[in-house]
């Protein structure tokens, strides 16, 4: 009798425990309430603010050369966050948006740096994509995602334009056409660089970037 | 002697050993006389249950007797069931799964009636996303409106986005057309009917409330749907509607898991005109009702709430900070709680506010305040940065707000806007009670300023006094509490005992504490002599230590559950001497345990006293630690020496068994905290290793307990087996990789504050930007630190102040040990965490030091003192 009651009790508790765990597991994906309200992601986490000096960084590119942002003081710097696995980036690369833009804007006062913050990216993959799409600019390797987080880069592509004095003047989308429908989209980067060269204010100075998420190291 | 069957029956259930019968004979009795089926006691289920729950009846002054091996298991199982039931009941109403998931469409909607085969809908799309058009009724009658929608099913793990995708992704777009019919978005009850959408235009999205997805450790937030969703709309049927029409919808989406795939799918469905009213299909109606219920209603159209908006500007200034407040009045006059449930922001939602895209203002998450005039209401305030760019549309606050009304989560849609000013600086609005003025330093300060940093140049006797009081206060810290509770339990025994026994207990406990403190001090001296600098709580930086302490606590808890006994071989008639020896040994052990658990906790005075000690010669260290120990033991010593205290404790009885088991659970709660600390540093793998070790240790304790019952050779064999199991599993499982393999700092901690890793070199730059810097020196194993972070630093007042004063929050995490942090602590006279520094702009060399016990008031005042007035955004 006692053994039976013990078995019953254990079975009941096991059943309850499993059902509790099952419901919590279901809720655990994607993400139910964590119990805390969140502040906006801007603020003290990312330090790239339009109108403020762009944060300095040092990264190596696909050929192992070291690039430091401060070394490019005196030039207009365009940072392009990229990930050749993302369909938005592929669409632009196939339409040669970045390639043509980089070549059109090229000059002694200009440098285009592409940055890949995908945590599982390997240099071989970068070399392959440079080959495939004919990319004329260096692709900096940021597997740790530190520079990406520093700049608050959330999408690929995500564009930043820094003026010759090192101040960030534009951050956001490459153009106003997320779905790729327009024949002649308004390219914000081209606008920003043209405005800087003409010593005009950059307008728009900040737009909502579109694209895939930057693949940082996963869920905590 | 032949036992009386009735006696055996009774004893078997109450577990009592008949007087004079040795425990081994009881086993023999059970074997010889299996339980008579017609046992009077056995038949009574109620008595059985009582015996099950109550436990043994104890004669006064008797040491609790360990019953057979099934008794503690029964009790533990009973408590486990209760615990699981409670957890399950608690989790049920709070399940958020029900908030998002909805019903599947009834088969009739998907397949269509078999007779009208021409109207069968087409399921189109890729396997990742399947969509179909569903319509509430099979045909349309002129002069009526019909609910329809795009039913989307997604492959597991994939999601599509809401009308605003968030930080990344692409909003989902639906374009619907039906020649001869009119398309409009849904409008909810109490709302005005939405205008018809011109053909070919995307449908304004009145869709179910989306989920929030986190990526990159919470760095990237997007909003959308997983699994399945209905995107509903309305079909208006004019009088001159055609006989048949093709309802066509194009769904433009981006479906993502880790990778993203853009796509477009065109859905079609043929509909027919039906003269006269159609019978409503209850199942279809229920399906649509369920999904439409998930659409957030417009807060302005709420039937009972009164809504007031207040903006900081009548015309918005470009490039500056703007504010908007939403006042919701639930009840103007006081009323009962049932008629007027309280309204608040939903703390359990991942985001209180989900913003729409392209509003011209970047809004931060809102803060909630009590409504200034309503008896029951809520004030929600947003602060935002207006874009410096020229935007064609007015600046707007638009999105979804997660509220909780009573205990029901409610999502509402908010929409308010203001035009842009033509001149710089905008046009300020009239002051409104909803946007009360922010306090400036002059008004809020009063006289109190935070203390300046102090270096430990105390006279040694003052340090001793601080150590003594610090030790006393340590008793109140959550780490030591279980031990105190155990002592209180032991007190029940002692209360009946002689003065001599009580004194012995007190001495034993004190000796245990002071002795371990001296050992700790010796360890510190030894480590320092060897060249390793350590601080208070240093041992918690080593996972092996945590594992061993945890195992010890688990074993202790099992002892309290009655799985085995400490110190006594025979479980039998008690001898005063036997009890005393057991009592003293146990008190000693409890004293050691108290010290072991106390070290990660910091109490007021403690930090300073220990800081002083660690900077002094070895003799002072020993003296301070010993005084600390005396302080820790003092309350118990005091209690046991006061005779009146004994009368307050009830006489020993069955309640003691229950209380003992409860204490076991309290100890297990402390083990949970230890596991959390370990999990932070070692991750899930380390956690499983340690839990495996606990499991084996538990089994070993059980075997040990069983061996205690046996006679002869099997007993030492049992002991040996238990010991071997522990050692073997310990050697195999307790192998932790070094701390260097852990990811470095810069972790983004969940919560409302965006923490930066502490970097002294960066502080001047922030101060030059005009932002005060607050540095939180903390560690995962420091409970006081964690409590402060969760209750004080995350309180809405402090969050408000952080946003207002643009404070940079830095975290110096000492969990793994770090020389720089230890040096910084020492520089300010502290030996351990927590430590709070506040740097004011313009004064990078003189931070203010906040005390270990902080309150939101203190922090807010300190922020206000660090900066005279709230800054405005530079264009």
């Amino acid at each position: 009798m006692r053994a039976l009651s013990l078995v019953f009790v254990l079975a009941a508790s096991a059943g309850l425990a499993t059902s509790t765990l099952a419901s919590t597991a279901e809720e655990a994906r994607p993400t139910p309430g964590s119990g805390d309200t969140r502040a906006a992601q801007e603020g003290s986490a990312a330090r790239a603010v339009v109108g403020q000096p762009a944060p300095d960084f040092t990264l190596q590119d696909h050929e192992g050369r070291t690039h430091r942002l401060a070394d490019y003081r005196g030039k207009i710097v365009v940072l392009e966050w990229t990930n050749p696995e993302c369909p938005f980036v592929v669409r632009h690369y196939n339409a040669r948006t970045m390639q043509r833009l980089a070549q059109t804007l090229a000059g002694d006062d200009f440098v285009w740096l592409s940055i890949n913050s995908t945590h599982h990216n390997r240099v071989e993959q970068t070399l392959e994509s440079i080959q495939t799409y004919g990319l004329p600019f260096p692709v900096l390797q940021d597997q740790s995602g530190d520079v990406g987080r520093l700049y608050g880069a959330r999408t690929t592509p995500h564009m930043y334009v820094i003026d010759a004095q090192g101040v960030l003047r534009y951050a956001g989308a490459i153009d106003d056409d997320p779905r790729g429908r327009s024949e002649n989209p308004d390219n914000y980067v081209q606008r920003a660089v043209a405005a800087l060269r003409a010593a005009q204010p950059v307008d728009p100075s900040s737009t909502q970037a579109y694209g895939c998420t930057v693949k940082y190291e996963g869920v905590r | 002697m032949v036992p009386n069957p009735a006696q055996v029956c009774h004893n078997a259930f109450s577990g009592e050993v008949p007087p004079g019968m040795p425990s081994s004979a009881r086993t023999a009795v059970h074997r010889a006389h299996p339980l008579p089926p017609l046992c009077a006691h056995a038949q009574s289920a109620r008595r059985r249950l009582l015996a099950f729950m109550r436990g043994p009846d104890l004669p006064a002054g008797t040491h609790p007797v360990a019953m057979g091996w099934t008794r503690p298991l029964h009790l533990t199982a009973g408590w486990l069931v209760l615990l699981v039931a409670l957890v399950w009941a608690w989790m049920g109403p709070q399940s958020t799964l029900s908030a998002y998931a909805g019903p599947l469409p009834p088969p009739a909607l998907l397949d269509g009636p078999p007779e009208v085969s021409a109207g069968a809908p087409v399921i189109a799309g890729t396997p990742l996303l399947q969509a179909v058009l569903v319509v509430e009724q099979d045909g349309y009658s002129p002069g009526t409106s019909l609910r329809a929608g795009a039913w989307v099913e997604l492959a597991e793990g994939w999601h599509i986005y809401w009308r605003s995708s968030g930080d990344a992704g692409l909003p989902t777009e639906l374009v619907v057309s039906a020649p001869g019919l009119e398309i409009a978005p849904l409008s909810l009850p109490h709302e005005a009917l939405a205008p018809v959408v011109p053909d070919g235009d995307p449908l304004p999205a009145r869709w179910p409330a989306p989920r929030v997805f986190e990526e990159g450790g919470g760095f990237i937030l997007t909003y959308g749907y997983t699994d399945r969703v209905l995107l509903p709309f309305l079909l208006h049927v004019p009088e001159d509607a055609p006989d048949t029409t093709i309802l066509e919808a194009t769904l433009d989406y981006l479906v993502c898991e880790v990778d993203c795939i853009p796509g477009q799918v065109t859905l079609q469905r043929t509909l027919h005109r039906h003269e006269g009213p159609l019978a409503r299909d209850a199942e279809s109606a229920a399906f649509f009702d369920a999904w439409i219920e998930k659409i957030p209603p417009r807060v302005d159209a709420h039937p009972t709430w009164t809504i007031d908006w207040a903006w900081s500007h009548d015309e918005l200034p470009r490039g500056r900070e703007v504010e908007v407040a939403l006042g919701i009045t639930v009840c103007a006059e006081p009323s009962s709680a049932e008629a007027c449930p309280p309204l608040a922001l939903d703390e359990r939602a991942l985001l209180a506010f989900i913003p729409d895209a392209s509003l011209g203002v970047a809004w931060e998450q809102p803060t909630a305040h009590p409504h200034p005039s309503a008896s029951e209401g809520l004030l929600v305030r947003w602060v935002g940065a207006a874009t410096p760019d020229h935007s064609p549309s007015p600046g707007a606050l638009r999105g979804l707000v997660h509220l909780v009304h009573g205990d029901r989560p409610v999502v509402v849609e908010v929409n308010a806007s203001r035009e842009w000013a033509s001149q710089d600086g905008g046009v300020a609005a009239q002051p409104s009670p909803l946007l009360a003025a922010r306090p400036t330093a002059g008004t809020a300060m009063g006289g109190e300023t935070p203390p300046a940093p102090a270096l430990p140049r105390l006279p040694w006797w003052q340090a001793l006094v601080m150590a003594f009081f610090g030790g006393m206060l340590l008793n109140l810290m959550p780490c030591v509490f279980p031990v105190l509770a155990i002592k209180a339990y032991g007190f029940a025994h002692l209360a009946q005992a002689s003065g001599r026994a009580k004194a012995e207990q007190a001495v034993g406990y004190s000796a245990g504490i002071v002795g371990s403190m001296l050992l700790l001090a010796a360890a510190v001296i030894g480590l320092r002599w060897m060249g390793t600098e350590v601080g208070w709580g240093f041992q918690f930086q080593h996972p092996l230590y945590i594992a061993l302490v945890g195992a010890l606590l688990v074993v202790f808890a099992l002892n309290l559950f009655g799985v085995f006994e400490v110190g006594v071989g025979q479980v039998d008639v008690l001898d005063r001497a036997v009890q005393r020896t057991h009592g003293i040994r146990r008190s000693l052990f409890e004293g050691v345990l108290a010290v072991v658990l106390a070290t990660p906790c910091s109490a007021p005075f403690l930090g300073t006293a220990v800081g002083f000690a660690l900077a002094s010669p070895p003799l002072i260290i020993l003296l301070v630690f010993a005084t600390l120990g005396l302080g820790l033991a003092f309350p118990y010593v005091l209690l046991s020496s006061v005779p009146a205290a004994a009368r307050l404790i009830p006489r020993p009885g069955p309640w003691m068994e229950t209380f003992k088991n409860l204490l076991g659970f309290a100890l297990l709660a402390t083990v949970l905290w230890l596991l959390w600390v370990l999990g932070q540093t070692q991750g899930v793998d380390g956690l499983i290793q340690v839990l495996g070790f606990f499991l084996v240790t538990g089994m070993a304790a059980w075997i040990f307990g069983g061996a205690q019952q046996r006679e002869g050779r099997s007993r030492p064999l049992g002991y040996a087996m238990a010991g071997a199991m522990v050692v073997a599993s310990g050697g195999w499982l307790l192998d932790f990789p070094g701390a260097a393999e852990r990811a470095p700092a810069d972790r983004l901690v969940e919560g409302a504050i965006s923490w930066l890793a502490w970097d002294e070199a960066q502080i001047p730059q922030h101060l030059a930007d005009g932002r005060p810097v607050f540095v939180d020196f903390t560690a995962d194993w420091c409970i006081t630190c964690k409590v402060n972070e969760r209750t004080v630093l995350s309180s809405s007042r402090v969050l408000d102040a952080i946003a207002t004063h643009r404070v940079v929050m830095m975290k110096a995490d000492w969990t793994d040990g770090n020389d720089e942090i230890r040096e910084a602590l020492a520089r300010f006279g502290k030996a351990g965490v927590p430590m709070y520094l506040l740097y004011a702009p313009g004064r990078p060399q003189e931070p203010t030091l906040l005390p270990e016990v902080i309150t939101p008031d203190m922090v807010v005042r300190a922020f206000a003192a660090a900066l005279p007035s709230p800054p405005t955004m530079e264009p």
Side-chain angles (χ1 to χ4, degrees), chain B residues 69-143:
Chain B
W69 63 270
T70 55
R71 175 65 59 187
L73 272 175
H74 264 102
L75 271 166
T76 319
W79 284 109
L80 261 174
V81 170
L82 191 65
L83 194 68
V84 168
L86 280 171
V87 168
W88 187 57
W90 174 77
M91 296 206 77
Q94 293 187 359
S95 163
T96 52
L97 188 64
S98 57
Y100 296 110
L104 289 166
L109 281 184
L110 284 178
D111 297 329
E115 303 87 5
V116 193
S117 55
V122 175
I123 295 184
T126 66
L128 294 175
L129 180 149
Q130 288 181 292
V132 65
L133 279 172
V134 291
V135 185
E136 194 177 10
Q137 288 165 346
D138 198 31
Y140 51 89
S141 313

Side-chain angles (χ1 to χ4, degrees), chain B residues 467-680:
Chain B
F468 188 78
F469 280 104
M472 282 209 327
L473 283 170
L474 255 187
N475 277 301
L476 296 175
M477 295 294 135
C479 316
V480 189
F481 222 62
V483 180
L484 203 65
I486 289 166
K487 289 310 293 173
Y489 160 76
F491 207 63
H493 280 301
L494 253 322
Q496 320 303 326
S498 69
R500 177 155 176 234
K502 278 201 257 189
E504 281 176 347
Q505 293 294 338
V507 168
Y509 185 61
S510 311
I513 289 186
V514 176
S516 356
M517 278 294 188
L518 288 174
L519 269 173
L520 203 61
V524 168
I525 296 171
L527 283 166
R528 285 207 358 201
W529 181 68
M530 285 198 312
T532 318
E533 291 292 342
V534 290
W536 184 244
F538 67 92
Q539 61 274 39
F540 276 81
Q541 295 167 1
H542 300 276
L544 189 64
Y545 177 85
I546 297 178
L548 291 174
V549 171
L552 194 68
L553 287 177
V554 168
V555 163
F556 200 171
L558 288 174
N559 173 240
L560 291 174
F561 290 146
V563 170
F564 70 96
E565 285 301 313
V566 171
V568 197
Q570 284 290 5
V571 175
D572 242 339
V573 178
L574 275 328
D575 175 351
R576 282 279 154 98
V578 169
Q579 182 191 22
R580 269 218 312 277
T581 320
H582 164 265
I584 290 183
R585 214 183 302 180
R586 198 196 185 98
S587 286
L588 208 74
F589 166 68
E590 281 159 3
V592 172
L593 188 66
V595 171
V596 156
L597 290 177
T599 41
C601 278
S602 191
F605 308 128
L606 198 67
T608 326
V610 175
F612 170 83
L614 293 182
S616 312
L619 182 63
I620 302 286
I621 298 181
L622 287 170
L623 214 57
V624 170
F625 274 63
T627 320
L628 199 61
L630 286 174
L632 191 58
F634 185 66
Y636 178 74
V637 168
L638 194 66
L639 210 59
S640 64
S641 56
V642 169
R647 281 182 238 124
L648 292 171
I649 312 285
R651 299 192 71 75
W655 67 271
M656 291 173 71
E657 189 69 17
T658 318
F659 189 58
K660 214 165 80 131
N661 295 327
L662 266 176
L663 289 178
F665 281 104
L667 277 184
L668 287 183
T670 314
V671 172
L672 263 182
W673 162 64
L674 286 175
L675 286 175
W676 177 74
V677 176
L678 192 101
Q680 295 292 314

Side-chain angles (χ1 to χ4, degrees), chain A residues 2 9 16 24 26 30-33 35-39 44 87 149 154-155 179 181 203 205-206 208 211 213 215, chain B residues 70 84 91 96 166-167 169 171 173 211-212 214-216 218-219 252 258 260 347-348 350 365 389-390 752 754 756:
Chain A
R2 274 160 77 186
V9 157
L16 274 173
T24 42
E26 252 187 283
T31 38
D36 289 319
T37 52
R38 300 180 62 106
S44 38
R149 285 184 203 265
R154 291 186 167 77
T155 62
R179 299 189 126 91
R181 289 181 184 147
D203 194 323
S205 62
S206 135
Q208 173 76 41
T213 55
K215 306 302 176 209
Chain B
T70 55
V84 168
M91 296 206 77
T96 52
D167 289 334
E173 245 178 40
R211 295 190 211 229
V212 178
E214 284 184 302
E215 272 181 68
F219 189 61
D252 203 296
V258 175
C260 288
E347 297 290 313
R348 286 170 313 189
L350 202 61
Q365 286 294 306
D389 305 330
H390 286 84
S754 309
L756 276 183

Side-chain angles (χ1 to χ4, degrees), chain B residues 684-726:
Chain B
V684 178
D685 292 325
L687 213 57
I688 295 299
Q689 279 172 258
V690 172
L691 284 172
F693 181 61
F694 288 173
L695 188 67
V696 175
T697 310
M699 258 190 82
W702 173 65
I703 291 175
F704 183 81
Q708 280 177 327
Q709 305 289 320
R710 288 174 152 56
E711 302 286 339
R713 243 201 343 238
S714 45
R715 192 192 302 165
L717 205 64
Y719 291 171
M721 186 153 75
M725 279 171 73
V726 173

Side-chain angles (χ1 to χ4, degrees), chain B residues 118-376:
Chain B
V122 175
I123 295 184
T126 66
L128 294 175
L129 180 149
Q130 288 181 292
V132 65
L133 279 172
V134 291
V135 185
E136 194 177 10
Q137 288 165 346
D138 198 31
Y140 51 89
S141 313
T144 62
S145 294
L146 198 51
R147 293 184 297 188
W151 172 251
V152 179
E153 286 190 23
L154 298 163
E156 175 138 354
W158 291 79
H159 57 269
I160 58 174
Y161 294 97
W162 188 50
R163 69 182 189 222
S164 155
S165 58
D167 289 334
L170 206 59
T172 305
E173 245 178 40
L174 189 61
V175 179
V176 184
S177 70
L181 303 183
E182 290 174 337
I183 319 283
L186 268 184
S187 45
L188 300 180
H190 311 289
E191 289 176 7
L193 216 56
V196 168
V197 174
D199 252 357
D201 273 10
L203 208 61
R206 281 316 287 292
W207 290 342
R211 295 190 211 229
V212 178
F213 305 117
E214 284 184 302
E215 272 181 68
F219 189 61
I220 304 175
L221 297 171
T222 51
Y223 326 121
Y225 306 104
T226 57
D227 207 17
R228 52 188 191 250
V229 68
L230 178 72
L231 307 177
F233 50 88
L234 214 53
L235 294 169
H236 292 303
V237 188
E239 291 294 341
D240 58 354
D243 285 332
T244 178
T245 184
I246 297 182
L247 176 66
E248 190 174 292
T250 306
L251 185 73
D252 203 296
Y253 60 87
L254 181 73
V255 64
C256 297
E257 186 194 39
V258 175
D259 298 322
C260 288
I261 301 171
Q264 200 182 69
V265 84
T266 304
L267 314 167
Q268 279 185 345
R269 184 165 181 157
T270 311
L271 299 175
H272 301 277
R273 179 171 165 149
H274 190 280
E275 295 308 328
L278 269 171
R280 272 188 54 154
D281 178 29
E283 251 191 325
S284 311
F287 167 72
F288 273 93
D289 286 340
W291 280 100
I292 288 167
E293 219 177 298
K294 299 176 190 302
I295 299 177
R298 299 209 167 96
V299 74
D300 296 284
H302 197 279
T304 54
W305 295 349
T306 309
I307 305 297
D308 298 291
W309 287 98
W311 285 75
S312 57
H313 297 79
D314 280 334
E315 286 177 26
L316 303 178
R318 290 182 211 276
R320 302 272 175 131
E321 193 175 85
V322 296
E323 272 189 70
V324 63
L326 167 67
I328 304 176
T329 304
V330 178
C331 293
E333 302 301 325
S335 186
S336 69
E338 294 82 50
C340 247
L343 188 65
L345 279 183
D346 193 346
E347 297 290 313
R348 286 170 313 189
L350 202 61
L351 278 186
F353 174 59
I354 295 180
D356 265 11
S358 308
L359 304 165
V361 183
W363 297 105
E364 291 179 9
Q365 286 294 306
T367 52
H369 311 263
H371 196 286
S373 49
S375 147
E376 185 52 63

